[in-house]
Amino acid sequence: VYRVRASQVQRMLDNPLDAILQSYGFDNPDDDGYSPQTLGNILHRAAEIVGRRNWDVSRPKYSPKNPMPREDILAELQRATEKILQNFQLEGWAAQNFRRQLDYRLKNLAGFMYCHQEPSCFETEYDTELSASNGKGKIRYRARIDRIMFTDAGPSRART
């Protein structure tokens, strides 16, 4: 089984040399605590924490809440982020720049979440098998949807 992620394909299309070097271990973003990938992972996790706490329909005893003010959503995102950052060693000018980028993106994320306070499911797994068009074998498709929002128009998918 060979696993291919959409982000890997996109990276290869955007910059083939960079993708090849990364595959050989050069410029590994996992080693860089200040990488855009790390920033995105922190934002994603904070959005999941706040989203699950406020709009997750799979949570026992879920009941819709009144819409939250943008400032309250931002405050919850900031608290979740601080909790996540407890495990990071942030120091120096690079850390200041990282924090500035994080704060800027948290405000944008709070704006998105403010406008999309629908009941939702988070980190939903999707797994299916498709028969190959030539009839020889099957293709297995797996995905994880960040958030499915339930609106009056029906479910919709969104990346948060």
Side-chain angles (χ1 to χ4, degrees), residues 65-116:
K65 295 182 177 184
N66 291 329
M68 294 174 64
R70 183 186 308 246
E71 298 78 25
D72 291 356
I73 295 171
L74 178 59
E76 281 201 40
L77 286 169
Q78 289 168 332
R79 283 191 296 274
T81 301
E82 289 305 317
K83 190 171 184 176
I84 295 166
L85 289 176
Q86 288 175 350
N87 300 325
F88 284 78
Q89 299 284 333
L90 299 175
E91 52 191 43
W93 67 268
Q96 291 173 352
N97 186 45
F98 182 81
R99 283 291 234 180
R100 191 170 37 254
Q101 290 181 37
L102 183 60
D103 290 341
Y104 175 77
R105 285 173 176 79
L106 278 175
K107 290 175 187 166
N108 290 338
L109 179 58
F112 173 84
M113 295 180 87
Y114 172 75
C115 293
H116 297 89

Side-chain angles (χ1 to χ4, degrees), residues 17-87:
L17 178 60
D18 188 44
I20 290 168
L21 290 174
Q22 283 185 356
S23 71
Y24 286 107
F26 296 101
D27 191 27
N28 183 357
D30 294 335
D31 294 337
D32 181 5
Y34 305 118
S35 73
Q37 181 178 352
T38 301
L39 183 69
N41 289 341
I42 291 169
L43 290 167
H44 183 274
R45 181 70 182 124
E48 182 185 356
I49 290 168
V50 173
R52 282 185 190 274
R53 185 178 306 137
N54 294 290
W55 304 292
D56 191 353
V57 296
S58 66
R59 195 180 74 224
K61 299 182 183 177
Y62 169 79
S63 63
K65 295 182 177 184
N66 291 329
M68 294 174 64
R70 183 186 308 246
E71 298 78 25
D72 291 356
I73 295 171
L74 178 59
E76 281 201 40
L77 286 169
Q78 289 168 332
R79 283 191 296 274
T81 301
E82 289 305 317
K83 190 171 184 176
I84 295 166
L85 289 176
Q86 288 175 350
N87 300 325

